[in-house]
Amino acid sequence: MRLRGMLLFLAIAAGIALIGCKDDEVWRGSGSASFLEFDSELTPAEAGQVNAAMGYLSARTVQGENVRWFREIFGGVDVPALLGFLEQRLHYILSGNTKIESRVRINAEPVVFQPRQESLLSEEDDSGRGATNLASLWFLKKAVEPEKLQFVINDQLISVESTRIGIIQLGPAFVTAPPPIQVGVLLHEGRHSDCTGGIWKSDILRTREGEDPLGVSCGHLHARCPVGHEYAGLYACDEEAWGAYSVNFIYWAAVARTCTDCPEEERVLTEAAALDAATRILVDVPAMVRGDFGAPDMTSSTEVQPR
Ligand SMILES: [Zn+2]
C-alpha cells in the first residue's frame, strides 16, 4: 500500500451518483473464512482464489517455533495463529475491477476526484500487484475531519475507524499466483493494517494537501526501491525493520524451512519468495534477524502524535 495525492482538491458532489459498472458475473457466495466479507463486485474467479488461499493456509503445517520472530509477528507458532493474525487485520475483500473512488462517501455523499487524482489513486505499475490495503482511507478520514468519511461495501456505509478496517482490493497478479504466494500477499496486506505508534499530526496535514505522509510506521508504508535495485523506482521496498516485506520474509522462510507436508516445489517456491522479500528490506536484514532493531511491534493505534 502507498498513499499518493489521494486528497488533492476533493470536492463533495451532492446528488451526483457515481455507480460503478457491475460485472455481470459476480460472486454471490461467502468466504471460506468467516471473518472475510466478499464485496458484491468480486468475480467468481477472484472469490475462488481467496478461498483457495485460505484453504491452503489451513491445510499446511508450519512450525513457527523453529523460526525466529515468527511468534512475535503472528502471535503464535501455528496455522491458527496465522488465521488470528489475518482475522485482526483483514475484513473486506474487493475486486480488482472496483473503482475505489466511486465507493468513498463524505457526509454520505459521493466524492468527485479530478481525473489526475484518479490516476494517482492507481499504482504506476499495476500488472505485478497482488493486492492493496485501503488502510489509507483512515488517513483520509482523519484529513477530512470533522466531515464524516465512509466507504460503501455491499451497499452498506462502513465507518473507517482505524487502519485495522481491513479493506483489501485484489490486484491483477493475485488470481494467477500460486496459493503459498497468495497467502503471503494476504499476510503482507495484514501488516499494512497496523498503525504502529499512531499517526503524526503533520502527516494528517500532509494528507490534506495531497502529499505522502513522512512517517511510515502508521500503515507501514513502502519506500521507493533505490537505483540499482531490481525494483528501482517502484514503491516496493521497506525502509524500516519489521514492515510488510519482513512479514513475507518470515512466513515464506517458515514454509520453506519447516513445512513437512509441503511438496518440494512449494518449498523451492517459498525459499525464492523469501529471498525476494529480503531484498526489498532496505535495513540490514541479518542485523534485524539478530534483534538489533528490537522485536517487531505488532500493535496498532488511532492516537494522533503531536509532531
Ligand atoms: Zn505493501
Side-chain angles (χ1 to χ4, degrees):
M1 181 193 79
R2 66 191 178 82
L3 181 85
R4 177 161 289 273
M6 281 186 82
L7 202 71
L8 290 164
F9 314 113
L10 266 189
I12 300 168
I16 300 175
L18 292 175
I19 298 165
C21 294
K22 282 207 174 179
D23 197 317
D24 273 342
E25 251 201 324
V26 294
W27 175 256
R28 305 211 179 275
S30 60
S32 61
S34 58
F35 56 85
L36 292 179
E37 180 173 342
F38 287 179
D39 182 74
S40 61
E41 286 185 341
L42 210 64
T43 66
E46 288 172 326
Q49 290 300 315
V50 174
N51 285 335
M54 298 307 290
Y56 171 86
L57 173 57
S58 304
R60 293 284 192 269
T61 311
V62 289
Q63 293 159 332
E65 66 274 23
N66 296 328
V67 179
R68 201 155 182 211
W69 305 113
F70 189 102
R71 182 192 301 274
E72 288 80 359
I73 290 174
F74 298 113
V77 294
D78 51 12
V79 166
L82 295 170
L83 289 168
F85 173 93
L86 291 177
E87 183 165 12
Q88 281 190 311
R89 294 168 173 86
L90 266 56
H91 301 117
Y92 305 100
I93 305 293
L94 300 186
S95 169
N97 302 323
T98 293
K99 293 253 177 284
I100 296 307
E101 60 272 20
S102 74
R103 299 293 191 91
V104 178
R105 297 288 180 273
I106 293 178
N107 299 331
E109 298 291 349
V111 174
V112 173
F113 290 81
Q114 296 182 356
R116 194 175 110 75
Q117 296 159 359
E118 281 188 35
S119 70
L120 288 171
L121 279 169
S122 56
E123 300 284 324
E124 288 157 7
D125 173 22
D126 205 46
S127 58
R129 191 163 55 83
T132 302
N133 187 327
L134 302 180
S136 55
L137 286 168
W138 185 70
F139 289 65
L140 280 183
K141 175 212 151 81
K142 299 303 287 180
V144 302
E145 279 179 352
E147 312 304 329
K148 188 177 175 189
L149 183 139
Q150 293 169 300
F151 193 79
V152 179
I153 293 171
N154 291 330
D155 298 324
Q156 304 281 322
L157 283 173
I158 307 289
S159 291
V160 182
E161 295 305 332
S162 75
T163 50
R164 289 261 176 108
I165 181 74
I167 305 172
I168 309 300
Q169 182 175 38
L170 302 181
F174 188 86
V175 288
T176 55
I181 302 302
Q182 291 173 327
V183 171
V185 166
L186 296 176
L187 294 166
H188 171 112
E189 295 311 327
R191 183 55 165 153
H192 288 309
S193 291
D194 294 341
C195 179
T196 305
I199 190 172
W200 299 356
K201 192 174 181 199
S202 56
D203 278 341
I204 295 175
L205 298 175
R206 289 178 66 84
T207 304
R208 202 173 283 167
E209 299 300 322
E211 292 167 36
D212 285 346
L214 294 177
V216 298
S217 57
C218 184
H220 296 277
L221 306 176
H222 295 311
R224 271 194 203 273
C225 300
V227 174
H229 193 280
E230 185 182 355
Y231 304 103
L234 297 176
Y235 283 88
C237 285
D238 284 339
E239 274 178 342
E240 57 164 356
W242 307 124
Y245 287 113
S246 297
V247 170
N248 281 138
F249 174 58
I250 297 296
Y251 170 69
W252 282 325
V255 176
R257 299 293 170 82
T258 75
C259 179
T260 48
D261 50 7
C262 293
E264 174 71 12
E265 65 196 50
E266 279 176 18
R267 281 184 276 121
V268 171
L269 174 71
T270 50
E271 178 91 34
L275 289 173
D276 176 81
T279 69
R280 297 162 180 262
I281 305 165
L282 302 181
V283 303
D284 183 340
V285 175
M288 180 178 88
V289 173
R290 269 201 313 271
D292 290 5
F293 297 96
D297 181 347
M298 306 305 290
T299 60
S300 187
S301 168
T302 54
E303 253 176 69
V304 177
Q305 302 294 349
R307 58 171 157 170

